[in-house]
Amino acid sequence: MRRRLALQLGLMPGLLPTAQAQPQPLVLRSASQAGFAHKYNPGGTGPQGFCIEYIQALKRLEPSLDFTGLQEVLPTLRIEQDLAAGRIDVFFAMLKTPEREALFRFADSPRIYTIFHHIAVLATDVQAEQVRSFGDLRALGSDGRVLTTKGSGYAAFLREQVGLDVDDGATALDQNLRKLVSARARFLYDSESSLQRAIQAQGLQAQVRILPTVFRRQDLLLAYAPGLAPERLARLLAAMRALEASGVAARLRAAYGLS
């Protein structure tokens, strides 16, 4: 029967097409990040967040992929702890720091998006234009205090710049903006895209501006637990590369004003 069907189809015997085996489902544990609604906003008003939409696009591209835990919104420190302990498998869009590399792993490619570190100041602070380097900040002494977000990659990076007066007591960017406006510090350090969104969301365009100097360019990457099986990681990275090749990832970044 198989030989007769092959001949009817014009195929050589033994070359009858066979159904391709479907890949086994791959379910990975993850989480959403508190305080970064442009990345993770599950169940909130407005857009769901870049990372949520990125993950949804991955699932459409590769239906065998699935992720649990995204409805749970956790602070950055808890996400770091859960990655290190293997309670979650992967986290999308984290800055790589030496402290984090000691606890879990990062995939250097493909990047998820790129940020540019900038400083925000009060619009009336015309002398701030002279600040173009960390050396300029150090030279200001106590007048050069820099606000940044507790537990963030920005805080870790600023701590590496010996001699800076860093205030990372706030746990969210909007808190730091209020501190800046109330003159509790002169400078606020974060990514340009996050600063732009926060300033606009709080209606502070007339009170706060962003200095033009780029202090650092940095990619946000996939972070994963040390014990994640290599074959599971490889399947996820293959899907991420395919998403890049399709142009979908670039269109998502553009939609969120990301690079």
Side-chain angles (χ1 to χ4, degrees):
M1 174 66 74
R2 184 179 177 86
R3 178 185 177 87
R4 189 182 310 123
L5 180 57
L7 291 172
Q8 290 172 353
L9 292 172
L11 299 173
M12 292 294 292
L15 296 182
L16 186 68
T18 57
Q20 285 193 335
Q22 295 298 312
Q24 291 295 312
L26 173 58
V27 180
L28 296 166
R29 298 165 297 169
S30 191
S32 291
Q33 187 178 21
F36 295 88
H38 67 287
K39 292 169 65 177
Y40 293 94
N41 190 33
T45 58
Q48 297 178 81
F50 171 81
C51 292
I52 295 291
E53 293 201 42
Y54 181 96
I55 291 166
Q56 290 173 343
L58 278 177
K59 292 168 63 175
R60 288 193 296 271
L61 180 74
E62 179 48 76
S64 65
L65 277 180
D66 200 6
F67 301 86
T68 63
L70 291 170
Q71 292 304 312
E72 189 171 10
V73 182
L74 304 177
T76 304
L77 180 59
R78 170 70 183 279
I79 291 170
E80 293 173 344
Q81 292 169 344
D82 285 357
L83 276 170
R87 290 187 291 269
I88 62 176
D89 300 308
V90 296
F91 178 77
F92 288 84
M94 182 172 279
L95 292 174
K96 181 164 67 172
T97 68
E99 294 80 9
R100 289 171 177 170
E101 282 189 284
L103 297 173
F104 43 85
R105 307 289 178 264
F106 287 87
D108 289 323
S109 180
R111 71 185 180 92
I112 296 175
Y113 64 90
T114 301
I115 59 167
F116 301 89
H117 296 206
H118 280 259
I119 282 177
V121 298
L122 293 178
T124 54
D125 189 353
V126 294
Q127 296 300 316
E129 289 289 346
Q130 300 175 16
V131 174
R132 298 184 178 90
S133 69
F134 290 122
D136 292 336
L137 286 171
R138 292 188 193 95
L140 293 171
S142 60
D143 194 34
R145 177 168 296 172
V146 185
L147 299 168
T148 195
T149 306
K150 185 179 183 66
S152 67
Y154 311 109
F157 178 63
L158 289 176
R159 294 292 183 193
E160 295 173 7
Q161 314 308 312
V162 178
L164 287 187
D165 184 358
V166 178
D167 177 353
D168 62 348
T171 57
L173 180 53
D174 58 348
Q175 296 173 13
N176 272 328
L177 268 174
R178 289 193 291 271
K179 291 172 75 171
L180 181 70
V181 171
S182 62
R184 293 176 60 184
R186 190 176 173 189
F187 303 99
L188 170 54
Y189 190 96
D190 210 289
S191 74
E192 181 181 30
S193 56
S194 292
L195 287 167
Q196 288 172 337
R197 278 188 295 269
I199 290 168
Q200 183 173 4
Q202 295 195 36
L204 296 174
Q205 296 93 322
Q207 295 175 263
V208 179
R209 63 192 175 96
I210 301 172
L211 297 181
T213 298
V214 177
F215 284 82
R216 191 184 193 191
R217 176 191 184 279
Q218 197 170 17
D219 292 337
L220 276 82
L221 306 170
L222 177 78
Y224 61 95
L228 182 63
E231 62 273 15
R232 289 161 62 83
L233 175 64
R235 283 182 61 185
L236 174 56
L237 293 179
M240 292 172 64
R241 286 191 290 269
L243 195 68
E244 284 292 334
S246 72
V248 171
R251 289 194 291 273
L252 268 178
R253 286 193 286 266
Y256 276 84
L258 301 171
S259 299

